[in-house]
Amino acid sequence: EEKVMEDFWIKHRYDSCNYQLHHHYEYTYQVLFLLSGRIMYQVGDKEYEVTKGGFIILNTLEEHTLKVLDYPYERYIFQISPTFFQNEVKYPEIISVFTRRPADFSHLLTLAEPAWNYIYELIVEMEREYLGKRAYWEMYVGADLRKMFITIFRECADVLSTMKMSSASEIAYKVINYLEHHYTEDVSLDSISTALFLNKNYVAHVFKDETGYSPMYYMNSLRMSRAKALLMETNESVSDIAVKCGYTDFTHFSKQFKKYTGFSPRRFRLSEMENRDSNKVNPKIGEN
């Protein structure tokens, strides 16, 4: 059965023992809220010890894994498509929590109990809307996401003070927003700078300073992330996936994919199928 890629996805999980998560990432913004237990969460070369009240925020490009230190392990996890989040939340400063990664950025934030209880109520409400999928459920979820992230920004103001939007970070946000919406097209530094009415060298310099990536690296990473998700979650042909990810030359796509992942697209899909089959034997492995 083919998995439909959704704009918003939420899952509640409870494990009393033997939970493992392999190193992986998704083509989504992701938030993990820990309800009970203690975990060690690794994002790239950073490690965080998370307990109740803590939550982890990941963008589309960050590989991650976790180890459960104390059981029972209980959490809610959200996956939100960048376009859905940007359309529903709208505030660049809040969206920047998913897009800006200065050197001192912490993926771990913590809420005190009153705010945590309010967030938990919103999570349960979003879960009910997501599972029920009644008319306008996406708008309902969008409203709750706004409340959730406004609360997070208010409660974590000291930690998130580095996320304040300067003129440079606003330009970086605009570039990210442009790439998120146009990465399937024929995008160049010239087309980005023209769309933003800015000098291309200035755009490249500011973006690298703010995010740590060049605009073209970020765009290619978006394409590769999308390709990996489509290879894992659909039965579409590799050539169709290449087109959906902005590549008109199938050979170039395959070379880029192998350079980025170490696998050809077909080999990557096969390895994911093998992992999925092994997960059926041991259903505690894997986050999905």
Side-chain angles (χ1 to χ4, degrees):
E1 182 181 346
E2 187 171 301
K3 180 179 177 182
V4 178
M5 298 180 71
E6 299 179 285
D7 284 335
F8 178 85
W9 178 93
I10 184 172
K11 188 174 181 181
H12 178 219
R13 183 178 194 115
Y14 178 92
D15 288 287
S16 59
C17 62
N18 298 332
Y19 177 77
Q20 294 178 339
L21 172 64
H22 291 307
H23 202 63
H24 76 300
Y25 70 96
E26 295 83 9
Y27 176 74
T28 56
Y29 296 157
Q30 186 165 302
V31 187
L32 180 144
F33 290 90
L34 191 65
L35 302 181
S36 67
R38 186 169 61 97
I39 62 175
M40 184 64 71
Y41 208 99
Q42 182 175 349
V43 187
D45 59 359
K46 294 184 176 182
E47 283 191 336
Y48 307 95
E49 186 174 313
V50 192
T51 55
K52 182 182 178 182
F55 58 101
I56 295 283
I57 294 179
L58 301 170
N59 71 17
T60 57
L61 305 181
E62 292 173 316
E63 295 196 14
H64 53 275
T65 188
L66 72 84
K67 180 181 180 181
V68 180
L69 303 177
D70 290 332
Y71 289 95
Y73 166 56
E74 184 178 11
R75 61 94 177 109
Y76 272 100
I77 194 165
F78 291 64
Q79 290 180 5
I80 314 161
S81 83
T83 300
F84 179 76
F85 189 79
Q86 291 166 14
N87 288 342
E88 292 298 326
V89 175
K90 293 185 171 65
Y91 310 114
E93 188 170 308
I94 291 181
I95 293 169
S96 71
V97 76
F98 284 110
T99 56
R100 291 191 68 205
R101 291 296 184 266
D104 60 348
F105 177 81
S106 175
H107 299 83
L108 171 64
L109 297 172
T110 305
L111 290 171
E113 195 158 286
W116 172 256
N117 291 339
Y118 175 66
I119 294 286
Y120 178 72
E121 289 172 6
L122 290 175
I123 291 171
V124 172
E125 192 170 71
M126 282 189 275
E127 181 186 35
R128 183 175 66 245
E129 287 295 320
Y130 170 73
L131 295 175
K133 289 190 170 59
R134 298 166 63 192
Y136 310 115
W137 73 269
E138 296 100 331
M139 292 175 67
Y140 206 114
V141 165
D144 280 347
L145 283 174
R146 282 193 293 278
K147 293 179 199 171
M148 173 183 289
F149 278 90
I150 288 169
T151 302
I152 289 169
F153 259 73
R154 287 173 174 173
E155 296 298 317
C156 302
D158 292 343
V159 179
L160 294 173
S161 61
T162 59
M163 306 305 290
K164 301 269 183 216
M165 296 294 281
S166 64
S167 58
S169 58
E170 193 163 348
I171 289 169
Y173 163 74
K174 287 179 179 177
V175 174
I176 287 169
N177 192 47
Y178 180 86
L179 292 174
E180 294 279 7
H181 287 87
H182 297 278
Y183 71 91
T184 60
E185 302 167 14
D186 185 16
V187 176
S188 66
L189 190 54
D190 283 324
S191 66
I192 296 168
S193 57
T194 299
L196 300 182
F197 303 101
L198 292 168
N199 176 275
K200 68 177 183 180
N201 293 325
Y202 178 65
V203 168
H205 174 73
V206 167
F207 192 82
K208 183 70 182 288
D209 275 356
E210 287 294 308
T211 67
Y213 308 109
S214 72
M216 292 300 98
Y217 179 88
Y218 190 90
M219 183 194 69
N220 287 330
S221 297
L222 289 175
R223 288 177 169 180
M224 291 297 109
S225 300
R226 179 67 168 173
K228 289 177 79 171
L230 288 168
L231 286 164
M232 288 188 289
E233 299 176 4
T234 77
N235 295 320
E236 295 182 49
S237 69
V238 175
S239 56
D240 284 346
I241 288 173
V243 171
K244 280 192 173 183
C245 294
Y247 293 93
T248 54
D249 184 336
F250 173 74
T251 303
H252 179 59
F253 166 70
S254 295
K255 286 181 178 177
Q256 286 290 106
F257 191 88
K258 187 164 187 178
K259 180 180 176 183
Y260 189 83
T261 66
F263 297 99
S264 70
R266 288 188 175 86
R267 179 61 206 162
F268 176 82
R269 174 175 268 170
L270 183 61
S271 68
E272 288 300 318
M273 290 172 62
E274 289 169 351
N275 284 340
R276 204 165 292 172
D277 288 342
S278 68
N279 290 350
K280 289 176 182 176
V281 176
N282 183 359
K284 296 291 182 187
I285 297 179
E287 187 74 65
N288 297 327

